[in-house]
Amino acid sequence: MKSREERITDKMNRKGGYLITLLCLLLFVTLLGTLLWSIPPVAGRFESAPSAESSVWTMAYLEDEGIAYVDTLSEQMKQNSDVLFFAGPAALAGKVERSGAVPAPRVFFPVWDGSATEANMAVRFTHIPEDQLTGYGRSAYFVDFGEARFWFLNAERLEAEPAVQLAWLKRTAEQNPRLHRLVLMNKEPQQPEVWRGLADSGAELVLIGAKAYAPEAAVTERPQAGYSSTSAHPGWAEWTMSSPAGGLLMVQGRGSRLEAAAAGSAGRAADRLALDAAGLRQSAAVQERAAISIGAMWKYHAGGPDVRTVLPQGLDLTGEQPLVAQSPLPREDWRSAAYPDTDWGWARAPFGRSRESVSRRSIATTLPAQEQSPAYYFRKSFVVDEDPAEMKEWMLRVAFEDGFIAYLNGIEIARDSIREGLVDYRSVAIPHQGGLFEDYPLTNQRNVLVKGLNTLAIEVHGSHPQTPEWWFDASLTYKK
């Protein structure tokens, strides 16, 4: 017979065993519930999209359907293992065998090319949404990736019934006003109403085989070969891409900027098309026009005592009392429309400098840091042919780092991230992230415009004379 101490020990061991069993069971139930809860639904959104915190996204577009599957899609996926989104003709996903269709990789999204029936598409591409557009099956659909929405259109049915897909495109685009908008199809539509519909929906990049189309007003960097600022479709620039590396085009987005780079062959740099979507508008009723476009040519000069400014009468040097009167500036003031700037530099925006390789690739003109001043001055003249009173909703858009002040015909119209009152070539700005365009409506400054020649002058200041990050580009638009 067991002693009293042994009976107590056995009882405690049994209780401990029950507790351990209960804890294990609870852990198993928790893990099972978590697994079931975490299965993501696929309803028109690519489930492998990067987190919302990511500011840069990249996709790969394969335009050459004449190369065998093993030599194109599989190899490109191996060589670009960090890319999570591939798109191209459906034929690249393998041939249809008698025994059935070969499932495509889940990171590949097809452009409808008639290489298979819609029923076969359901077997090969189970990961893409079905019937987002009623009656189109998987031949017309959209997916979201990064900060972009991609529409895959059925070009054959677009030619026969354009209104159906265009209405769907515009409706779904309006539901996502902050996303980049890219359209892919396998055949170039010829109807003018199709291209007007693409523009009205805010499409920034249209990929059709070896051609890329973009609104010319949004283009900031033009490819060296195969590019034309005009095409058969008014308002659209055309780029016929050379494809030395198997027809691969890498598309990268960062903020409002979009860059498409054709893979270069050995010893040759990649050619690229860059654009900024900040100036695009999706309203079909009102057309926005650019007096000064993004990526325009500007006169520029480094800040220094040799660039003269004149204090306007009544200016409060502390900035506590805003200047109400609009006093014209003399000819010798660099902000004046009459200022002689013939000895200034002449180059294309965006201007800047950066330690980041991605940002450096987007800079058209590099401006070095200088010891005597954190500032650079810019001037751009433009002509208004009509009565300014008939031109509405003037908008100044500026991408800047770190601070700026803008003057229209010598009158200040906007400033940001810099002190009020007196500012000269030695003034530093408040740190401000550059690269993204910000809007400054000119509601109360339209009276400054004149019919004929006008001048926009902008001074951009860094937060320190030797700051390694500095940026400037601007546009001036209006509506009719």
Side-chain angles (χ1 to χ4, degrees):
M1 178 179 292
K2 294 183 179 181
S3 65
R4 183 172 180 272
E5 290 79 12
E6 289 175 335
R7 290 196 302 273
I8 294 175
T9 300
D10 290 344
K11 187 175 181 180
M12 292 179 64
N13 288 339
R14 287 196 299 272
K15 288 184 177 180
Y18 295 151
L19 181 59
I20 292 174
T21 301
L22 182 61
L23 289 175
C24 290
L25 181 61
L26 181 61
L27 179 61
F28 174 78
V29 172
T30 302
L31 291 175
L32 180 61
T34 302
L35 178 62
L36 294 175
W37 181 263
S38 64
I39 296 177
V42 178
R45 294 184 179 271
F46 179 38
E47 59 213 280
S48 296
S51 68
E53 296 179 357
S54 175
S55 60
V56 180
W57 56 267
T58 303
M59 66 86 69
Y61 170 68
L62 295 158
E63 53 88 1
D64 195 341
E65 61 182 82
I67 302 177
Y69 164 75
V70 69
D71 294 329
T72 304
L73 182 58
S74 294
E75 291 302 316
Q76 292 293 1
M77 290 177 64
K78 291 178 182 177
Q79 296 173 19
N80 300 280
S81 58
D82 57 330
V83 176
L84 299 178
F85 188 100
F86 288 80
L92 288 176
K95 296 182 178 180
V96 181
E97 306 295 344
R98 291 183 179 179
S99 59
V102 178
R106 293 181 64 83
V107 297
F108 177 70
F109 293 83
V111 178
W112 172 259
D113 58 4
S115 64
T117 64
E118 292 187 11
N120 187 264
M121 289 276 287
V123 177
R124 299 165 71 192
F125 304 103
T126 58
H127 59 288
I128 67 175
E130 181 181 12
D131 231 21
Q132 284 185 337
L133 178 56
T134 304
Y136 278 71
R138 288 179 168 86
S139 69
Y141 63 97
F142 69 81
V143 292
D144 293 342
F145 178 73
E147 296 178 350
R149 172 161 285 188
F150 296 80
W151 283 268
F152 295 77
L153 302 185
N154 185 322
E156 293 180 1
R157 296 181 66 173
L158 184 66
E159 185 176 11
E161 47 182 18
V164 176
Q165 290 184 76
L166 291 178
W168 169 71
L169 171 61
K170 186 174 183 180
R171 182 178 68 255
T172 52
E174 290 173 347
Q175 296 169 358
N176 291 268
R178 297 183 180 180
L179 296 177
H180 283 288
R181 301 169 184 185
L182 292 85
V183 174
L184 301 89
M185 62 186 104
N186 78 310
K187 181 181 178 182
E188 181 177 347
Q190 300 302 321
Q191 308 100 306
E193 63 265 31
V194 171
W195 291 94
R196 287 196 296 268
L198 293 173
D200 291 345
S201 298
E204 302 154 35
L205 194 63
V206 180
L207 300 175
I208 308 172
K211 290 186 177 181
Y213 291 89
E216 170 60 17
V219 175
T220 60
E221 182 178 348
R222 296 155 178 81
Q224 297 181 359
Y227 178 84
S228 175
S229 58
T230 58
S231 68
H233 317 296
W236 292 89
E238 176 183 328
W239 179 29
T240 301
M241 300 170 283
S242 58
S243 52
L248 178 66
L249 183 76
M250 303 298 286
V251 180
Q252 185 177 86
R254 182 177 186 180
S256 64
R257 299 196 300 275
L258 200 66
E259 181 181 286
S265 59
R268 188 174 71 84
D271 210 357
R272 63 170 52 89
L273 169 71
L275 56 91
D276 197 301
L280 296 179
R281 285 294 178 266
Q282 288 73 51
S283 173
V286 181
Q287 183 179 5
E288 185 177 69
R289 302 181 181 182
I292 299 175
S293 62
I294 294 171
M297 300 290 291
W298 290 76
K299 289 290 187 73
Y300 70 95
H301 196 288
D306 55 325
V307 182
R308 186 179 175 190
T309 59
V310 176
L311 295 181
Q313 184 177 2
L315 175 67
D316 179 7
L317 302 184
T318 66
E320 295 179 1
Q321 299 295 327
L323 182 63
V324 178
Q326 297 180 347
S327 303
L329 296 172
R331 174 184 174 87
E332 58 269 23
D333 192 303
W334 75 272
R335 300 165 293 182
S336 169
Y339 179 82
D341 55 14
T342 54
D343 60 340
W344 283 34
W346 175 246
R348 183 177 299 280
F351 298 86
R353 56 182 177 269
S354 179
R355 293 170 295 188
E356 300 180 5
S357 58
V358 175
S359 297
R360 285 199 301 269
R361 289 201 302 269
S362 302
I363 295 172
T365 304
T366 300
L367 296 180
Q370 49 176 347
E371 293 185 2
Q372 69 173 350
S373 173
Y376 274 89
Y377 301 144
F378 300 89
R379 289 171 52 86
K380 177 70 176 177
S381 296
F382 61 97
V383 176
V384 175
D385 293 324
E386 306 171 63
D387 183 357
E390 299 177 358
M391 306 160 76
K392 59 183 180 181
E393 295 188 38
W394 282 87
M395 180 73 71
L396 174 67
R397 295 189 175 92
V398 188
F400 61 97
E401 187 168 353
D402 289 290
F404 81 94
I405 308 176
Y407 311 87
L408 183 57
N409 294 331
I411 304 299
E412 181 179 328
I413 57 173
R415 75 167 65 194
D416 201 340
S417 295
I418 196 167
R419 59 156 293 178
E420 297 292 334
L422 178 63
V423 172
D424 65 11
Y425 69 94
R426 296 161 296 188
S427 300
V428 295
I430 302 168
H432 175 277
Q433 179 68 39
L436 301 181
F437 282 84
E438 299 182 30
D439 292 354
Y440 300 87
L442 305 184
T443 305
N444 300 320
Q445 293 90 353
R446 284 198 303 165
N447 62 319
V448 178
L449 289 158
V450 297
K451 187 174 182 179
L453 187 65
N454 293 262
T455 300
L456 177 65
I458 300 180
E459 54 183 295
V460 183
H461 295 247
S463 57
H464 187 277
Q466 299 298 316
T467 178
E469 304 294 329
W470 194 95
W471 189 275
F472 168 68
D473 197 357
S475 70
L476 184 63
T477 62
Y478 62 94
K479 292 182 179 179
K480 289 206 64 180

Coordinates of all heavy atoms in Angstrom, one line a residue, residues 211-243:
K211 N 4.6 47.9 -78.1 CA 4.4 49.3 -78.1 C 3.8 49.8 -76.7 O 3.0 49.0 -76.1 CB 3.4 49.8 -79.2 CG 4.0 49.7 -80.6 CD 3.0 50.3 -81.6 CE 3.6 50.3 -83.0 NZ 2.7 50.9 -84.0
A212 N 4.3 50.9 -76.3 CA 3.7 51.5 -75.1 C 3.2 52.9 -75.4 O 3.9 53.7 -76.2 CB 4.9 51.6 -74.0
Y213 N 2.1 53.3 -74.9 CA 1.5 54.6 -75.1 C 1.3 55.3 -73.8 O 0.9 54.6 -72.8 CB 0.1 54.5 -75.8 CG 0.2 54.0 -77.3 CD1 0.1 52.6 -77.6 CD2 0.3 54.9 -78.3 CE1 0.2 52.2 -78.9 CE2 0.3 54.4 -79.6 CZ 0.3 53.1 -79.9 OH 0.4 52.6 -81.2
A214 N 1.6 56.6 -73.8 CA 1.4 57.4 -72.6 C 0.9 58.8 -72.9 O 1.3 59.3 -74.0 CB 2.7 57.5 -71.8
P215 N 0.1 59.4 -72.1 CA -0.2 60.8 -72.3 C 1.0 61.7 -72.4 O 1.8 61.7 -71.5 CB -1.1 61.2 -71.1 CG -1.6 59.9 -70.6 CD -0.5 58.9 -70.8
E216 N 1.2 62.4 -73.5 CA 2.4 63.2 -73.7 C 2.6 64.2 -72.6 O 3.7 64.5 -72.2 CB 2.4 63.8 -75.1 CG 3.5 64.9 -75.4 CD 4.9 64.3 -75.3 OE1 5.1 63.1 -75.3 OE2 5.8 65.1 -75.1
A217 N 1.5 64.8 -72.1 CA 1.6 65.8 -71.1 C 2.2 65.3 -69.8 O 2.6 66.1 -69.0 CB 0.2 66.4 -70.8
A218 N 2.1 64.0 -69.6 CA 2.7 63.4 -68.3 C 4.1 62.9 -68.5 O 4.7 62.5 -67.5 CB 1.7 62.3 -67.9
V219 N 4.6 62.8 -69.7 CA 6.0 62.2 -69.9 C 7.0 63.2 -69.4 O 7.0 64.4 -69.7 CB 6.2 61.9 -71.4 CG1 7.6 61.5 -71.6 CG2 5.2 60.9 -71.9
T220 N 7.9 62.7 -68.6 CA 9.0 63.5 -68.0 C 10.4 63.0 -68.5 O 11.4 63.8 -68.4 CB 9.1 63.4 -66.5 OG1 9.2 62.0 -66.1 CG2 7.8 63.9 -65.9
E221 N 10.5 61.8 -69.1 CA 11.8 61.3 -69.6 C 11.4 60.5 -70.9 O 10.6 59.6 -70.8 CB 12.6 60.5 -68.6 CG 13.9 60.0 -69.2 CD 14.7 59.2 -68.2 OE1 14.3 59.2 -67.0 OE2 15.7 58.6 -68.6
R222 N 12.0 60.8 -72.0 CA 11.7 60.2 -73.3 C 12.8 59.2 -73.7 O 14.0 59.5 -73.5 CB 11.5 61.3 -74.3 CG 10.4 62.2 -74.1 CD 10.5 63.6 -74.7 NE 9.3 64.4 -74.4 CZ 9.1 65.1 -73.3 NH1 10.1 65.0 -72.3 NH2 8.1 65.8 -73.1
P223 N 12.4 58.1 -74.2 CA 13.4 57.1 -74.6 C 14.2 57.7 -75.8 O 13.7 58.5 -76.6 CB 12.6 55.9 -75.1 CG 11.2 56.1 -74.4 CD 11.0 57.5 -74.3
Q224 N 15.4 57.2 -75.9 CA 16.3 57.7 -77.0 C 16.0 57.1 -78.4 O 16.2 57.7 -79.4 CB 17.8 57.4 -76.6 CG 18.3 58.0 -75.4 CD 19.7 57.7 -75.1 OE1 20.4 57.0 -75.8 NE2 20.2 58.3 -74.0
A225 N 15.4 55.9 -78.4 CA 15.1 55.3 -79.7 C 13.6 54.8 -79.7 O 13.1 54.4 -78.7 CB 16.0 54.1 -79.9
G226 N 13.0 54.9 -80.8 CA 11.6 54.4 -81.0 C 10.5 55.2 -80.4 O 9.4 54.8 -80.4
Y227 N 10.8 56.5 -80.0 CA 9.8 57.3 -79.3 C 9.3 58.4 -80.2 O 10.1 59.0 -81.0 CB 10.4 57.9 -78.1 CG 9.4 58.8 -77.3 CD1 8.5 58.3 -76.4 CD2 9.5 60.2 -77.5 CE1 7.6 59.1 -75.8 CE2 8.6 61.0 -76.8 CZ 7.7 60.5 -75.9 OH 6.8 61.3 -75.3
S228 N 8.0 58.7 -80.2 CA 7.4 59.8 -80.9 C 6.5 60.5 -80.0 O 5.6 59.9 -79.3 CB 6.7 59.4 -82.2 OG 6.1 60.4 -82.8
S229 N 6.6 61.8 -79.9 CA 5.7 62.6 -79.0 C 4.3 62.7 -79.6 O 3.3 63.1 -78.9 CB 6.2 64.0 -78.8 OG 6.4 64.7 -80.0
T230 N 4.1 62.3 -80.8 CA 2.8 62.3 -81.4 C 2.6 60.9 -82.0 O 3.5 60.2 -82.4 CB 2.7 63.3 -82.6 OG1 3.7 63.1 -83.6 CG2 2.9 64.7 -82.0
S231 N 1.3 60.5 -82.1 CA 1.0 59.2 -82.6 C -0.3 59.4 -83.4 O -0.8 60.5 -83.6 CB 0.8 58.2 -81.5 OG -0.4 58.5 -80.7
A232 N -0.8 58.3 -83.9 CA -2.1 58.3 -84.6 C -3.3 58.6 -83.7 O -4.4 58.9 -84.2 CB -2.4 56.9 -85.3
H233 N -3.0 58.7 -82.4 CA -4.1 58.9 -81.4 C -3.7 60.2 -80.7 O -2.8 60.3 -79.9 CB -4.1 57.8 -80.4 CG -4.0 56.4 -81.1 ND1 -5.0 56.0 -82.0 CD2 -3.1 55.5 -81.0 CE1 -4.6 54.8 -82.5 NE2 -3.5 54.4 -81.9
P234 N -4.5 61.3 -80.9 CA -4.1 62.6 -80.4 C -4.0 62.6 -78.9 O -4.8 62.0 -78.2 CB -5.4 63.5 -80.8 CG -5.9 62.8 -82.0 CD -5.7 61.3 -81.8
G235 N -2.9 63.3 -78.4 CA -2.6 63.4 -77.0 C -1.8 62.3 -76.5 O -1.3 62.3 -75.3
W236 N -1.6 61.2 -77.3 CA -0.8 60.1 -76.8 C 0.6 60.0 -77.5 O 0.7 60.1 -78.7 CB -1.6 58.8 -77.1 CG -2.8 58.6 -76.3 CD1 -4.1 59.1 -76.6 CD2 -2.9 58.0 -75.0 NE1 -5.0 58.7 -75.6 CE2 -4.3 58.1 -74.6 CE3 -2.0 57.3 -74.2 CZ2 -4.8 57.6 -73.4 CZ3 -2.5 56.8 -73.0 CH2 -3.9 56.9 -72.6
A237 N 1.6 59.8 -76.7 CA 2.9 59.6 -77.2 C 3.1 58.1 -77.4 O 2.5 57.3 -76.7 CB 4.0 60.1 -76.3
E238 N 3.9 57.7 -78.4 CA 4.1 56.3 -78.7 C 5.6 55.9 -78.6 O 6.5 56.6 -79.1 CB 3.6 56.1 -80.2 CG 3.8 54.6 -80.7 CD 3.4 54.5 -82.1 OE1 2.5 55.2 -82.5 OE2 4.0 53.7 -82.9
W239 N 5.8 54.7 -78.0 CA 7.2 54.2 -77.9 C 7.2 52.8 -78.4 O 6.5 51.9 -77.8 CB 7.6 54.2 -76.5 CG 9.0 53.7 -76.2 CD1 10.1 53.7 -77.1 CD2 9.5 53.0 -75.0 NE1 11.2 53.1 -76.6 CE2 10.9 52.7 -75.3 CE3 9.0 52.8 -73.8 CZ2 11.7 52.1 -74.4 CZ3 9.8 52.1 -72.9 CH2 11.1 51.8 -73.1
T240 N 7.9 52.5 -79.5 CA 8.1 51.2 -80.0 C 9.4 50.6 -79.3 O 10.5 51.1 -79.6 CB 8.2 51.1 -81.5 OG1 7.0 51.7 -82.1 CG2 8.4 49.7 -82.0
M241 N 9.2 49.7 -78.5 CA 10.3 49.2 -77.7 C 11.2 48.2 -78.4 O 10.7 47.3 -79.1 CB 9.8 48.5 -76.4 CG 9.0 49.4 -75.5 SD 8.1 48.5 -74.2 CE 6.8 47.7 -75.1
S242 N 12.5 48.4 -78.4 CA 13.4 47.4 -78.9 C 13.5 46.3 -77.8 O 13.5 46.6 -76.6 CB 14.8 48.0 -79.2 OG 15.3 48.6 -78.0
S243 N 13.6 45.1 -78.2 CA 13.5 44.0 -77.2 C 14.7 43.0 -77.4 O 14.5 41.9 -77.8 CB 12.2 43.2 -77.3 OG 12.0 42.8 -78.7

